[in-house]
Amino acid sequence: MNIGEIASRAGVSRATVSRVINDVATVDPKLVRRVKAVINEVGYRPNFQAQALARGRTHTVGLIVSEISGGNPFFAEIILHFERAALENGYEVLISFADTETNPDHVVTCVNRMRERQVEGIAVLTFGMEEALAKKYQTMGFPMVFAGALFGTRALNIRINYLSGLREAVKHLAEFGHTRIGYLSGRLFWSSMRTRYEALRKAMKLAGVVFDKDLVAECDHTLEGGAQGMARLLSLPKPPTAVLCCNDMAAIGAIKTLRARNLEAGRDISLVGFDDLPLAAYTQPPLTTIRFAPSELAKMAFEVLLDAIQGKSRKTNREYKTQFILRESTGAPRVKLRKTSPRQ
Amino acid sequence: MNIGEIASRAGVSRATVSRVINDVATVDPKLVRRVKAVINEVGYRPNFQAQALARGRTHTVGLIVSEISGGNPFFAEIILHFERAALENGYEVLISFADTETNPDHVVTCVNRMRERQVEGIAVLTFGMEEALAKKYQTMGFPMVFAGALFGTRALNIRINYLSGLREAVKHLAEFGHTRIGYLSGRLFWSSMRTRYEALRKAMKLAGVVFDKDLVAECDHTLEGGAQGMARLLSLPKPPTAVLCCNDMAAIGAIKTLRARNLEAGRDISLVGFDDLPLAAYTQPPLTTIRFAPSELAKMAFEVLLDAIQGKSRKTNREYKTQFILRESTGAPRVKLRKTSPRQ
DNA sequence: TTGAAAGCGTTACCAA
DNA sequence: TTGGTAACGCTTTCAA
């Protein structure tokens, strides 16, 4: 069933059917009705490929995210909200999962696949493996937006202000009297993990807390990674009295390790997550964390991308600001630990 | 940059370039090299829309899932694994999030959008709002696969054996001596929730446990829904000593309510989840649950769809079997509760 | 083995 | 206001 078929059944030309489909105002209302009747009757829907070819536009954008590992709902939210923002603006979304971990070049393959499909722009929300891509594309005038990428100049990049949330978190811990503050970091080959790490060091400096490299454990940013990382921190001769985590999933993993040793977050050791997943309010104890909302980020990414596609680089460089969320997994250091730490 | 441009730069016809692109064996190796050199040099990639139009095939399938609410990672896993299976077979995936809750017809819109894009088949993994669709499409010969849908005859449908897992779960609870077994059900306008409910009743019957409607709370299958539902069950004059939940997220919500009243799952009341999210092993206590793996289901769905597209209805009707997973959120009923319950 | 040319389904220009 | 027709970028027959 194609436009020609509709045309002959309605007794008009293909051009007229096309006009009806595209709501061109100049068509005789009678013809409009006749054509629409036929269209409904036979259930005709225009062929997208043909339209795209003829129009030279696809009204499609690409979204590349990391493979979701360990059931982290963060990327699911990104996808949902990006797609929703796109739909509201008449765009469709092509999604790719980049295997950023085992194959950094995979993201290039994803971009190529998308460009074959003539997407009008791509959002790369992989948080950490996009440098190569950025270098390749920032000069060639194809609309592409990154988030939290570590390169400066021309590429569209939503800056992520990790510091804002971390600063408050560290201040909060310092006010409780914590001096041995540890960090469960994600793998530092992810650039976003390097950025977080640097932001934390800066936050510590600003709060006047001594930063101790030995209190940092690098682990996967997953449930299991967090559990393992926390085990390493606890086996230190002098474990930290407070631990920040690179994300909530790792924090949940850490909680499990604590429990296995009869320690409770908030009472025996302070724990701060990152992301503020819906889940964070449901852990035991509810997780003090730093909000990094995928929904807002996704919306922002689409808006920036849309502006780029439409040539209005209005506020092309935007920033997402993280925010401290106080719940119950933080508190004063335990006396026992407090005593030992000044001896250092 | 198009095929004509490549052709003239390489000094061959467009037909030859096309053959090179598509690895046709009959092309002179010298020409192949020449053409490929040009292609690499200018970074040419064929236009998908044009290819699809000329070939009459898109090698694209659609996947419709429910809007992910409350950060449930279940659907994220489905998307990831479906996409992976598709890619391995040379297919691309178009994804839609159906707003099944507030607008049951939205899924029809999704299907239409996908068919405009000439997808070769669609998997509808919404678990509960697809009856209308199924009726409409099961006769028209378009490859479409459902999962756990409640209609019998012609539509491709992956049956979900909820009973297998539930039966073991109920047996497990009965062996502990539970007689007052409650259920935190999802909203029963989701057909998958009705199916689960029916399966549970059957499982209870088979285990010889009296089913008591008053011990069922209908709630959203979310963290918050589970928390609220559990509160309702606990406020009953005689609360259940064990509660099954429609999914893990609801179970995690339920745990929070328990804790707020100083009750602990496994010790004071037995709790069984559903899905076996990675998270389930990280709750406190680790959640006894029923495995319903999105990855396997997604793979199955794609395979069935592919068979349908290729016309081989090999094993067109497949079944996914749920499985009981024992962890630590279940145990013997507390003596206090045990005493009261026979008095009924 | 190669090239010319006719499609694929649609849009959009130009005449009428 | 309508219709004829040339694109859009590619594939695929048919001849050579």
Side-chain angles (χ1 to χ4, degrees):
Chain A
M1 185 61 52
N2 59 29
I3 215 173
E5 184 91 352
I6 304 294
S8 63
R9 292 205 195 197
V12 296
S13 71
R14 298 182 314 169
T16 298
V17 175
S18 174
R19 289 187 196 104
V20 171
I21 291 171
N22 294 288
D23 288 318
V24 173
T26 61
V27 186
D28 183 347
K30 283 171 195 168
L31 287 190
V32 173
R33 254 173 281 137
R34 213 160 77 204
V35 171
K36 285 197 169 170
V38 175
I39 287 177
N40 287 329
E41 191 189 344
V42 304
Y44 163 79
R45 309 254 78 206
N47 178 312
F48 167 82
Q49 272 71 254
Q51 285 185 321
L53 199 56
R55 288 177 180 151
R57 291 201 60 181
T58 57
H59 275 278
T60 302
V61 292
L63 170 64
I64 303 181
V65 296
S66 290
E67 284 198 355
I68 305 140
S69 57
N72 188 327
F74 187 86
F75 287 111
E77 293 278 309
I78 286 196
I79 294 172
L80 176 62
H81 287 95
F82 189 91
E83 143 110 9
R84 202 180 271 172
L87 230 54
E88 281 167 11
N89 289 276
Y91 275 79
E92 299 268 345
V93 181
L94 249 40
I95 296 166
S96 273
F97 298 91
D99 176 11
T100 44
E101 211 139 351
T102 67
N103 181 4
D105 285 341
H106 184 220
V107 68
V108 176
T109 312
C110 294
V111 169
N112 285 340
R113 271 210 339 257
M114 287 180 166
R115 299 208 61 185
E116 287 179 19
R117 299 211 162 208
Q118 316 302 117
V119 297
E120 299 179 12
I122 300 180
V124 184
L125 304 184
T126 49
F127 304 104
M129 294 308 225
E130 60 282 303
E131 283 105 334
L133 248 190
K135 268 172 214 146
K136 192 167 171 189
Y137 280 99
Q138 64 185 324
T139 49
M140 62 178 289
F142 179 75
M144 206 142 157
V145 53
F146 298 82
L150 279 188
F151 37 82
T153 55
R154 276 206 287 264
L156 256 40
N157 188 14
I158 295 172
R159 285 191 310 279
I160 299 174
N161 187 338
Y162 291 111
L163 187 60
S164 55
L166 283 168
R167 204 173 161 176
E168 276 195 81
V170 171
K171 189 178 144 218
H172 167 73
L173 293 173
E175 282 171 358
F176 267 130
H178 289 279
T179 54
R180 299 182 57 73
I181 299 180
Y183 182 48
L184 234 48
S185 172
R187 301 283 174 204
L188 293 174
F189 56 68
W190 295 77
S191 67
S192 72
M193 289 305 169
R194 289 200 294 280
T195 317
R196 271 172 220 209
Y197 187 45
E198 290 310 321
L200 177 62
R201 294 176 66 150
K202 195 165 177 184
M204 302 267 276
K205 202 172 187 178
L206 290 168
V209 180
V210 177
F211 184 82
D212 183 351
K213 257 191 186 170
D214 295 338
L215 300 183
V216 175
E218 189 180 335
C219 59
D220 289 335
H221 53 293
T222 59
L223 292 165
E224 206 187 325
Q228 291 168 354
M230 181 54 93
R232 290 216 304 279
L233 290 185
L234 290 179
S235 67
L236 290 174
K238 286 172 187 163
T241 59
V243 175
L244 293 109
C245 303
C246 62
N247 73 357
D248 287 345
M249 294 305 264
I252 293 171
I255 289 177
K256 183 169 168 120
T257 295
L258 291 176
R259 254 189 331 249
R261 315 196 176 194
N262 264 315
L263 297 171
E264 198 187 314
R267 191 193 59 187
D268 302 307
I269 188 168
S270 287
L271 205 61
V272 180
F274 208 108
D275 281 348
D276 192 28
L277 298 178
L279 211 50
Y282 284 81
T283 55
Q284 168 67 342
L287 192 64
T288 294
T289 190
I290 291 165
R291 187 160 172 75
F292 182 29
S295 57
E296 288 170 44
L297 192 75
K299 253 181 276 176
M300 241 183 214
F302 180 76
E303 283 165 20
V304 173
L305 189 59
L306 189 60
D307 285 353
I309 290 172
Q310 297 176 340
K312 12 169 178 161
S313 50
R314 211 178 353 142
K315 11 179 185 169
T316 224
N317 266 313
R318 287 173 70 174
E319 175 180 292
Y320 177 83
K321 216 169 168 178
T322 60
Q323 196 187 339
F324 181 63
I325 306 285
L326 178 61
R327 292 205 182 87
E328 301 165 34
S329 64
T330 46
R334 290 204 68 181
V335 177
K336 192 189 77 180
L337 297 171
R338 210 177 183 179
K339 267 184 189 156
T340 62
S341 72
R343 261 196 263 147
Q344 293 253 301
Chain B
M1 186 59 53
N2 60 31
I3 215 174
E5 184 91 353
I6 303 294
S8 62
R9 291 205 195 199
V12 298
S13 71
R14 300 182 314 169
T16 298
V17 176
S18 173
R19 292 192 190 101
V20 171
I21 291 171
N22 294 289
D23 289 318
V24 174
T26 61
V27 186
D28 183 347
K30 284 170 195 171
L31 288 189
V32 173
R33 256 174 280 136
R34 214 159 77 205
V35 170
K36 284 195 170 170
V38 175
I39 286 177
N40 286 328
E41 191 188 345
V42 303
Y44 165 79
R45 310 251 77 206
N47 178 311
F48 167 82
Q49 272 71 250
Q51 285 185 319
L53 201 55
R55 290 177 179 150
R57 289 201 63 180
T58 58
H59 275 278
T60 302
V61 293
L63 170 64
I64 302 180
V65 297
S66 289
E67 285 197 353
I68 306 139
S69 58
N72 188 328
F74 187 86
F75 287 111
E77 294 279 307
I78 286 195
I79 294 173
L80 176 63
H81 288 95
F82 189 89
E83 144 111 7
R84 202 180 270 172
L87 229 53
E88 280 167 11
N89 288 276
Y91 275 78
E92 298 269 345
V93 181
L94 249 39
I95 296 165
S96 273
F97 297 91
D99 176 12
T100 43
E101 209 139 353
T102 68
N103 182 3
D105 285 342
H106 183 220
V107 67
V108 177
T109 312
C110 294
V111 169
N112 285 340
R113 272 209 338 258
M114 288 180 166
R115 300 208 60 185
E116 287 180 19
R117 298 209 161 211
Q118 317 301 119
V119 297
E120 299 179 13
I122 299 180
V124 183
L125 303 184
T126 49
F127 303 104
M129 293 307 226
E130 61 282 301
E131 283 104 333
L133 248 189
K135 267 173 213 144
K136 191 168 172 188
Y137 280 98
Q138 64 183 324
T139 49
M140 63 180 290
F142 178 76
M144 207 143 160
V145 53
F146 299 82
L150 279 187
F151 37 81
T153 54
R154 275 204 289 262
L156 256 39
N157 188 15
I158 296 173
R159 285 191 310 278
I160 299 175
N161 187 338
Y162 291 112
L163 187 60
S164 54
L166 283 168
R167 203 173 163 177
E168 276 196 81
V170 170
K171 189 178 145 217
H172 167 73
L173 293 173
E175 281 170 359
F176 268 129
H178 290 279
T179 54
R180 299 182 58 73
I181 298 180
Y183 181 48
L184 234 48
S185 171
R187 302 283 174 203
L188 293 174
F189 56 68
W190 294 77
S191 67
S192 71
M193 289 304 168
R194 289 199 295 280
T195 318
R196 273 172 219 210
Y197 187 44
E198 290 309 320
L200 176 62
R201 294 177 67 151
K202 195 165 176 184
M204 303 268 275
K205 201 172 189 176
L206 290 168
V209 180
V210 178
F211 184 82
D212 184 350
K213 257 192 187 168
D214 295 337
L215 300 182
V216 175
E218 188 180 336
C219 59
D220 288 335
H221 53 294
T222 59
L223 292 164
E224 206 186 325
Q228 291 169 355
M230 181 54 92
R232 289 216 304 279
L233 290 185
L234 290 179
S235 66
L236 290 174
K238 286 172 187 162
T241 59
V243 175
L244 293 109
C245 303
C246 62
N247 73 357
D248 287 346
M249 293 305 263
I252 292 171
I255 289 178
K256 182 169 169 119
T257 295
L258 291 176
R259 253 187 334 248
R261 315 197 176 192
N262 265 315
L263 297 171
E264 197 186 317
R267 190 193 59 189
D268 302 306
I269 188 168
S270 287
L271 205 61
V272 180
F274 208 108
D275 281 349
D276 192 28
L277 299 178
L279 211 50
Y282 284 80
T283 54
Q284 167 66 343
L287 193 64
T288 295
T289 190
I290 291 164
R291 185 159 173 76
F292 181 28
S295 57
E296 288 171 45
L297 192 75
K299 251 179 279 176
M300 238 183 216
F302 179 77
E303 281 165 21
V304 173
L305 189 58
L306 188 60
D307 285 353
I309 289 172
Q310 297 176 340
K312 13 170 177 159
S313 50
R314 208 174 0 138
K315 11 180 184 170
T316 224
N317 267 312
R318 287 174 68 175
E319 175 179 293
Y320 177 83
K321 214 169 168 180
T322 60
Q323 195 187 340
F324 181 63
I325 305 286
L326 179 60
R327 292 206 183 87
E328 301 165 33
S329 64
T330 45
R334 289 205 69 180
V335 178
K336 193 188 79 181
L337 296 170
R338 211 177 181 180
K339 267 184 186 156
T340 62
S341 75
R343 262 196 260 146
Q344 290 251 300

